[in-house]
Amino acid sequence: MTHSTDYLHTLEDEAIYILRETAAQFERPALLFSGGKDSIVLVHLALRAFRPSKLPFPLLHIDTGHNFPEALAFRDQLVASLGERLIVESVEESIKKYNLKETSGRFPSRNGLQTYTLLDSIQAHQFDACIGGARRDEEKARAKERIFSVRDDFGQWNPKLQRPELWNILNGKIQKDHNVRVFPISNWTELDVWNYIQTRKIGLPSLYFAHQRECIVHQDKLVATSQFIQPLPTDKVVKEWVRYRTVGDMTCTAAVPSRAQSLEAVIAEIIETSISERGQTRLDDQVSEAAMEDRKKQGYF
């Protein structure tokens, strides 16, 4: 067994411990699942934690309506093959219900609006813990989270009022109407996720591997044309070999130039890059230096 495999086993063991503690300490947890690589890894970790039993929580997708079709198709195929329960909640319905105003601009994001849908879902299903795939290298606001990260009765997050977590002791005690976000892979990096996917032979949507796609060149980023983003006469439109490092909304997630069509090639690219996943691909995180943290304080996952 190599040192790198030992390291992955340590991360896997920690994540399984966190998932089992979540099932033990909370009455109604849910696992946030979008069809992206991090949430796919979470599902496979949950299978290792609880099989041959059914998972002790449903999978929950907050559907923005701007998803990549490939990610949705993979989500549905995986859930069907596992025989697990999937709850899909619609941001589109929240927009109609609350008469919400969507962000303006050429490449709008519904990420901020997901908060309304998520909090409604937590209330409707009485979830007291939501499990997500945040990683330590994903965005600097993540570093202020805990593994059990407490939200108040309005669903809001205060980074100054989080509990210390010493010696792997996880405190799931919460007040009435409070809930917790749980991050089992918060000690992982993007490279760890890909190495784990390779080691465990985990399938992914085709988006994560190089393919040809028509893109608009926007501030040195490649944004795929789609039913949501149509090119203007002044746009520079190219057909490039690209892949996706992260799968957010089609409207605000850029592709990266790539010829990597295998796990080995993707891992080699990640080792060479010095730009973070979100920094390279997420247009909505470029709004301000604290864009993610501001959304999280309002209840964003």
Side-chain angles (χ1 to χ4, degrees):
M1 185 181 293
T2 65
H3 172 73
S4 60
T5 307
D6 282 342
Y7 174 61
L8 287 176
H9 280 179
T10 300
L11 290 177
E12 180 186 64
D13 288 345
E14 179 189 47
I16 288 172
Y17 166 74
I18 293 166
L19 287 165
R20 288 173 176 167
E21 282 295 301
T22 302
Q25 294 194 42
F26 296 96
E27 294 182 4
R28 296 181 66 86
L31 189 153
L32 271 287
F33 181 62
S34 64
K37 67 181 186 309
D38 298 321
S39 62
I40 291 169
V41 164
L42 277 184
V43 170
H44 282 270
L45 286 165
L47 294 175
R48 295 187 71 82
F50 299 109
R51 280 291 192 254
S53 299
K54 299 279 284 186
L55 298 185
F57 37 68
L59 309 181
L60 172 64
H61 183 203
I62 305 301
D63 184 352
T64 65
H66 289 169
N67 301 282
F68 286 90
E70 297 95 328
L72 293 181
F74 188 92
R75 177 201 70 182
D76 293 341
Q77 177 271 325
L78 180 61
V79 170
S81 70
L82 297 177
E84 296 293 341
R85 180 187 176 202
L86 172 68
I87 300 170
V88 179
E89 301 287 6
S90 168
V91 172
E92 191 76 48
E93 292 302 314
S94 296
I95 291 171
K96 296 174 183 177
K97 178 180 178 180
Y98 295 109
N99 195 26
L100 301 175
K101 183 179 179 181
E102 299 194 53
T103 56
S104 58
R106 183 70 192 286
F107 303 104
S109 169
R110 285 182 169 179
N111 274 341
L113 303 183
Q114 289 183 79
T115 299
Y116 295 88
T117 314
L118 176 60
L119 296 182
D120 276 358
S121 180
I122 288 171
Q123 184 176 41
H125 298 282
Q126 297 183 316
F127 294 134
D128 51 2
C130 291
I131 304 162
R135 305 186 318 267
R136 63 183 171 93
D137 68 335
E138 187 178 1
E139 205 277 339
K140 61 185 180 181
R142 302 294 197 195
K144 299 180 183 179
E145 295 274 17
R146 296 293 187 266
I147 292 172
F148 280 8
S149 189
V150 180
R151 265 61 172 175
D152 65 19
D153 48 352
F154 294 102
Q156 296 179 327
W157 173 67
N158 186 340
K160 297 180 179 180
L161 294 179
Q162 296 302 311
R163 300 162 178 168
E165 291 174 332
L166 308 174
W167 305 291
N168 291 330
I169 297 174
L170 302 176
N171 181 2
K173 186 175 182 179
I174 54 175
Q175 299 179 32
K176 179 177 170 55
D177 295 327
H178 285 203
N179 58 80
V180 168
R181 306 293 194 270
V182 178
F183 301 114
I185 61 172
S186 61
N187 283 327
W188 297 41
T189 65
E190 181 187 12
L191 183 58
D192 294 332
V193 167
W194 279 101
N195 281 328
Y196 187 76
I197 288 167
Q198 183 183 46
T199 299
R200 291 300 184 195
K201 298 179 173 58
I202 296 172
L204 293 176
S206 59
L207 287 164
Y208 285 107
F209 302 96
H211 57 284
Q212 284 192 302
R213 191 176 285 257
E214 183 183 82
C215 299
I216 298 166
V217 179
H218 173 72
Q219 297 178 355
D220 297 326
K221 297 186 187 296
L222 297 171
V223 184
T225 59
S226 66
Q227 66 267 41
F228 308 113
I229 302 292
Q230 293 295 315
L232 301 175
T234 55
D235 283 332
K236 179 181 178 181
V237 180
V238 296
K239 191 169 186 179
E240 293 280 359
W241 280 91
V242 299
R243 67 176 182 85
Y244 285 86
R245 290 179 69 183
T246 181
V247 179
D249 281 359
M250 296 184 73
T251 55
C252 62
T253 304
V256 298
S258 176
R259 289 277 184 163
Q261 294 182 293
S262 67
L263 286 170
E264 292 80 4
V266 170
I267 289 170
E269 283 190 355
I270 294 169
I271 290 171
E272 292 297 320
T273 187
S274 60
I275 306 173
S276 72
E277 176 183 315
R278 297 188 72 94
Q280 186 177 20
T281 65
R282 295 299 287 272
L283 301 178
D284 52 331
D285 284 345
Q286 314 301 316
V287 176
S288 76
E289 194 171 326
M292 169 65 83
E293 184 163 333
D294 290 342
R295 291 199 300 269
K296 286 165 66 67
K297 286 179 179 178
Q298 298 304 315
Y300 179 75
F301 196 78

